[in-house]
Amino acid sequence: MHDELLRIGALILIAGLLARGARRVGLPTVPCYMLAGILLGPGTPGPTLIEHPESLELFATLGLVLLLFHLGVEFPVEQVLGSGRRLFLAAACYIGLNVGAGFGFGLLLGWGLPEALVLAGALGISSSAIATKLLIELRRLTNAETPVILGIIVIEDLFLAFYLALLQPVLSDAGTPAEVATGIGTGFVFLLLLFALARYGARAVGALIGSREDELLAVLMVGLVALMAGLSSGMGVSDAIGALMIGLVVSRTSVRERVERLVLPLRDVFAAVFFVTFGLTIDVAGLAEVALPVAAAVLVTIATNSAAGLIAGRLYGFNQRAAANIGLTVLGRGEFSLILATLAMGAGLDPRIGSFVALYVLVLAVLSPLLASQSRHLARLIPDRLLTGGWRYVRGETMSTACTHLDRIDPDVRADTLACPACAEDGIDDWVQLRLCLTCGHVGCCDDSPGRHATAHFEATGHPVMESLAPGEDWRYCFVDRTLVREPLGRGPAHHGTG
Amino acid sequence: MGHGVHTQELPGIGTRYDIDAGGQGQRVSVVVRRDGKRDLYVFTGASADPDAVLELTEAHARKIAAVLGGTFFEG
């Protein structure tokens, strides 16, 4: 026993130290845990700490279950449902493009249909943890596109639930199409039952585990999660989805916030064991074999992410910088890809999936923070016609909604002239572009015009926000905050007559 | 929230408050994360990129708030 403890302890400590070093230079933790597993596992020459990865299987499964449980607990159901059609459209495009490309790529590899279905999710679903940490580290929490990025991630999590439910019967060894259909049917009925439990039984579940003492709440919570995950697994639905659903149930109880706080350290530790264990199963010789397909997959992912970012940017009327930020921030792949690879390996699919996903996650782990921080270079390459705003002057600028003067906007304001009245009074007409005051409807010429009457109007009246009246442009600028602004997300697009 | 403060939910992170601090581009955004940490974004002018960002623990945030609010008297 002491030998086993020693080995597990050393492995986790090394994994943790590796991740700590990576965090110093802004790299994500998940791939580091996996890397520690690969380096110290039986599939790599050199020192081997754990000879049989199976010995860690129970801990690893707990890690997977707690990961998905936490995802369910913190899932913001109300916010997602209230987030409006535009966000769903943007997320649907993101998921459609990425998962679709992943599936197509999987088919092209020719490893088989179940393998392609797994790769669809492994290549298509991004890592929430990596994207969230990137936004904090790159100091982009006040950017206009940040709520959109976070919204896409949340809807991706929702998609994951349905995707896992669909995938399970494909993975379990059901032979005939009828058996597969029955499997999918059973899975969805079980899911519906859990949804019903979330809707009507939350109070009972809350009463069952809702002890006032944190100690007891933690014990009851872990017991309930493991039980439900096991039960789901027995029903032919994966343990992962059972854990996710019971998380959703708990998220509707009064103990939600305490559970969220208590589960976090447990999740972090056991999830790290899960990632390390995944690494242990990887044969380093297999990595070289899949290097070329992985390089191609990474390029495809960057392309589909950028395209999805452009679509979201267009939907929200963002500029190039914001669109590039969306595409490149949601690039990281991590926990979900590794979960899917584990499920695939467990189901006895082509073992190359393991090496493929491991290398893919490693490459993107290094690339995604790098590309996200350099998004302004991609922004300069994006031509204007791909976005609605006509952002010629402000392509590379960060957009912000951190304008505190949106309450001064009159939604009914319209432009009633196609020329600058102040210039006309002076008998000149060499203005370049027109600006509309969104408080009173005053039309004046821009700062590239000799008159600069829009700025003069702000200086005279203090009316803060103006909109460009140039054909094809609809950006807004706050004179007081000196920032480009968009209307707060969740409201519909602006309806201004542009002349 | 009152005049000059704009609130926005950031799913998975927390809540963001944008506070007008006297115009001319001078404003402050505070993100209260769900784990209690606070990110303080300070903007002083021309750009939408912050001039300074501080990541504060709950204790640090309280200390700063007490001093700013004038309830901290010890020397």
Side-chain angles (χ1 to χ4, degrees), chain A residues 368-448:
Chain A
S368 81
L370 211 69
L371 290 174
S373 65
Q374 301 302 317
S375 59
R376 60 182 183 282
H377 299 299
L378 173 65
R380 293 208 190 96
L381 298 177
I382 301 173
D384 278 328
R385 63 194 143 75
L386 292 181
L387 294 164
T388 43
W391 297 98
R392 225 163 337 129
Y393 296 122
V394 287
R395 259 184 205 178
E397 295 282 315
T398 299
M399 289 182 82
S400 168
T401 51
C403 163
T404 46
H405 304 88
L406 297 176
D407 53 341
R408 304 275 301 274
I409 293 177
D410 178 354
D412 298 323
V413 105
R414 295 282 183 278
D416 55 3
T417 169
L418 282 172
C420 175
C423 284
E425 250 173 57
D426 298 342
I428 48 174
D429 61 349
D430 55 351
W431 47 268
V432 183
Q433 286 191 349
L434 294 179
R435 308 287 184 243
L436 169 69
C437 169
L438 291 177
T439 305
C440 69
H442 171 272
V443 175
C445 52
C446 69
D447 280 2
D448 288 336

Side-chain angles (χ1 to χ4, degrees), chain A residues 459-484:
Chain A
E459 280 161 2
T461 62
H463 293 170
V465 187
M466 64 85 156
E467 186 173 86
S468 171
L469 285 181
E473 299 193 2
D474 69 346
W475 51 272
R476 293 170 172 190
Y477 180 79
C478 174
F479 286 110
V480 185
D481 289 330
R482 297 188 200 169
T483 175
L484 286 166

Side-chain angles (χ1 to χ4, degrees), chain A residues 231-304:
Chain A
L231 201 63
S232 315
S233 193
M235 289 289 295
V237 188
S238 71
D239 41 11
I241 200 154
L244 183 72
M245 294 304 298
I246 196 67
L248 279 177
V249 175
V250 171
S251 81
R252 300 185 60 88
T253 66
S254 56
V255 289
R256 169 191 184 155
E257 272 159 32
R258 286 170 63 213
V259 167
E260 222 181 302
R261 184 165 48 80
L262 288 171
V263 77
L264 208 58
L266 281 173
R267 178 203 74 161
D268 289 341
V269 171
F270 284 102
V273 176
F274 168 72
F275 300 129
V276 169
T277 308
F278 177 80
L280 287 174
T281 62
I282 299 301
D283 186 354
V284 89
L287 291 182
E289 203 180 306
V290 292
L292 268 181
V294 166
V298 167
L299 290 179
V300 168
T301 303
I302 293 174
T304 49

Side-chain angles (χ1 to χ4, degrees), chain A residues 23-114:
Chain A
R23 293 300 299 141
R24 291 240 168 97
V25 291
L27 295 176
T29 54
V30 168
C32 292
Y33 300 143
M34 179 183 74
L35 191 64
I38 295 178
L39 292 176
L40 298 168
T44 310
T48 299
L49 274 177
I50 305 279
E51 200 63 55
H52 303 289
E54 308 83 54
S55 59
L56 289 178
E57 201 180 336
L58 186 59
F59 292 127
T61 309
L62 259 180
L64 181 152
V65 162
L66 287 174
L67 256 172
L68 285 146
F69 174 66
H70 180 259
L71 192 70
V73 172
E74 64 152 26
F75 189 77
V77 179
E78 272 78 26
Q79 272 176 41
V80 168
L81 295 180
S83 57
R85 223 163 43 95
R86 260 196 303 181
L87 183 60
F88 274 100
L89 211 58
C93 289
Y94 181 87
I95 295 168
L97 270 171
N98 280 282
V99 174
F103 182 59
F105 192 85
L107 285 180
L108 277 180
L109 276 180
W111 293 349
L113 185 64

Side-chain angles (χ1 to χ4, degrees), chain B residues 1-60:
Chain B
M1 280 297 229
H3 193 77
V5 179
H6 176 236
T7 313
Q8 184 164 29
E9 287 298 320
L10 298 178
I13 292 185
T15 312
R16 168 181 142 199
Y17 303 91
D18 301 322
I19 306 140
D20 170 34
Q24 296 305 311
Q26 191 165 292
R27 60 203 160 81
V28 168
S29 291
V30 178
V31 177
V32 180
R33 289 195 226 157
R34 291 219 304 250
D35 62 5
K37 283 214 185 83
R38 268 86 163 147
D39 297 278
L40 183 67
Y41 282 61
V42 179
F43 300 84
T44 57
S47 152
D49 289 314
D51 295 283
V53 179
L54 290 180
E55 190 180 310
L56 302 168
T57 61
E58 241 172 323
H60 287 139

